[in-house]
Amino acid sequence: MVEKLQKIWVDGELVPWDEAKIHLLTHSFHYGLGAFEGIRCYKRADGKSIVFRLREHIDRLFDTCKLVLLQPKFSREQIMRACIDTLKANSLEQGYLRPVIFMGEGAMGIYAPDNPVRAAVIAWNWGAYLGEDALKNGIRAKVSSFARHHINVSLAKAKMMGQYTNSVLAKREAKLAGCDEAILLDTSGYVSEGSGENLFIVKRGKLLTPDLGSSILEGITRDTVITLAREMGLVVEETRIVRDQLWLADEVFFTGTAAEITPVREIDSRVIGEGVPGPVTKKLQARFFDVVRGSDNTHPEWLAEV
Ligand code: PMP
């Protein structure tokens, strides 16, 4: 459950939490055309709060708007400011930010070009997405019977609201089968991503992850991990991956703003590696957490002070 805080930013104003409501005729509520982001704020070892890769998240929010033909009434700078203001208004030293750009009420037809394009930023407390134990000991995943959207059925690079029914269905299926997370293949059968995470495998010391030409979201944590891994002297290959490679991998992990770096210890009843987080995953995880909330200052360009 999201714990109630004080304020939510709605169309340029910080309004009391309980008053941040939308009408049932909100167009995006019915048809799912809307853009959103998920961003983390961390309290670092020096006591300062930072928003991790704020600029890149807001750029992706606007990229999604461009893909779905939504014209926000606010600039990138205004939405970035709104993120910081929302954290401050709620005295949140660390947590999660959810900016949304959506179509408001007016016409109920599919087209509805004159409906207002609305914006909001919500902040809440959010610990480890899949639990502390998942970060430490890894999770069990299941290859989903749901395929990730074909690249021409939806918009693979958009973080678009309606698209997430695919994720919810895959996640529910995985949980009901006793697993923690789903791995979706694309419509050709190649490995795509998790319900809300990108995926990496480690084989003979090398990192492999699906390339950007496949049906995956261009994850900001994915980019962070690729950058850090290369800095650490690891080889990273962006390539097509088949299901067999998952099952035969030495290590597998998910990346995402919410999931951070979550090791996968079992997929479809096959134990991955030794069944515990492997050395490459652990090394990357340690470096990642040192960058976002520790005292590693090698990437100041990723940290926006609150
Ligand atoms: N894939 C999907 C489908 C997602 O929802 C997310 C979370 N935004 C990711 C990957 C990971 O992206 P990021 O690292 O930017 O959070």
Side-chain angles (χ1 to χ4, degrees):
M1 279 276 278
V2 170
E3 176 204 341
K4 177 175 156 178
L5 299 176
Q6 285 92 45
K7 301 273 187 181
I8 294 180
W9 186 94
V10 185
D11 291 324
E13 275 174 65
L14 285 159
V15 304
W17 185 274
D18 288 332
E19 288 170 27
K21 291 184 178 153
I22 54 165
H23 197 274
L24 284 173
L25 286 176
T26 299
H27 195 275
S28 297
F29 173 64
H30 293 255
Y31 307 123
L33 191 110
F36 73 102
E37 269 304 318
I39 314 173
R40 268 194 194 269
C41 166
Y42 290 97
K43 186 171 182 190
R44 300 187 85 238
D46 61 8
K48 288 188 181 144
S49 288
I50 60 93
V51 180
F52 190 62
R53 304 197 71 171
L54 176 60
R55 160 67 63 180
E56 291 88 336
H57 279 283
I58 300 307
D59 280 346
R60 190 172 64 187
L61 182 71
F62 278 72
D63 281 352
T64 300
C65 288
K66 180 176 183 175
L67 287 170
V68 306
L69 297 168
L70 274 180
Q71 186 61 54
K73 282 211 255 1
F74 297 91
S75 67
R76 287 165 205 242
E77 279 62 36
Q78 284 172 313
I79 301 291
M80 282 196 285
R81 186 73 249 159
C83 287
I84 305 280
D85 289 349
T86 307
L87 289 168
K88 284 188 168 153
N90 290 291
S91 310
L92 259 193
E93 291 188 309
Q94 52 192 351
Y96 189 82
L97 282 160
R98 168 60 51 83
V100 288
I101 308 285
F102 62 101
M103 283 174 74
E105 65 203 87
M108 278 312 285
I110 296 286
Y111 184 38
D114 300 323
N115 285 22
V117 176
R118 304 192 56 195
V121 178
I122 313 144
W124 65 84
N125 268 306
W126 213 355
Y129 179 60
L130 296 157
E132 282 300 331
D133 184 68
L135 288 178
K136 194 159 162 257
N137 299 315
I139 60 163
R140 295 171 64 234
K142 178 190 185 317
V143 170
S144 185
S145 72
F146 292 96
R148 193 28 110 212
H149 298 281
H150 182 273
I151 44 169
N152 296 331
V153 166
S154 203
L155 295 158
K157 299 296 171 271
K159 199 164 165 63
M160 181 172 80
M161 291 172 177
Q163 221 149 252
Y164 278 75
T165 48
N166 179 242
S167 289
V168 176
L169 290 169
K171 178 83 180 188
R172 287 185 166 194
E173 181 189 65
K175 292 291 280 186
L176 290 171
C179 292
D180 307 292
E181 189 51 281
I183 297 173
L184 291 96
L185 309 179
D186 64 20
T187 50
S188 303
Y190 295 97
V191 173
S192 172
E193 59 183 346
S195 66
E197 308 90 358
N198 292 111
L199 181 136
F200 286 77
I201 72 174
V202 182
K203 188 70 182 179
R204 295 186 196 93
K206 192 158 90 176
L207 284 159
L208 303 177
T209 193
D211 64 278
L212 293 178
S214 51
S215 180
I216 60 165
L217 187 72
E218 188 169 353
I220 291 161
T221 321
R222 175 187 182 276
D223 178 73
T224 303
V225 165
I226 291 174
T227 304
L228 296 178
R230 289 191 174 139
E231 283 174 12
M232 292 157 76
L234 293 162
V235 174
V236 186
E237 208 179 301
E238 297 174 64
T239 182
R240 274 203 317 206
I241 296 172
V242 299
R243 188 179 59 175
D244 311 35
Q245 287 173 289
L246 285 179
W247 292 345
L248 295 175
D250 299 327
E251 303 178 32
V252 176
F253 60 86
F254 282 123
T255 65
T257 297
E260 298 166 309
I261 297 181
T262 298
V264 180
R265 61 181 161 83
E266 192 186 303
I267 303 172
D268 299 326
S269 309
R270 277 88 172 166
V271 170
I272 303 303
E274 305 293 321
V276 291
V280 176
T281 308
K282 278 165 77 175
K283 226 166 89 176
L284 280 165
Q285 214 187 30
R287 176 90 198 280
F288 173 80
F289 281 121
D290 206 18
V291 167
V292 298
R293 64 174 185 217
S295 47
D296 183 321
N297 292 318
T298 53
H299 286 282
E301 74 282 10
W302 289 346
L303 317 178
E305 250 185 68
V306 177

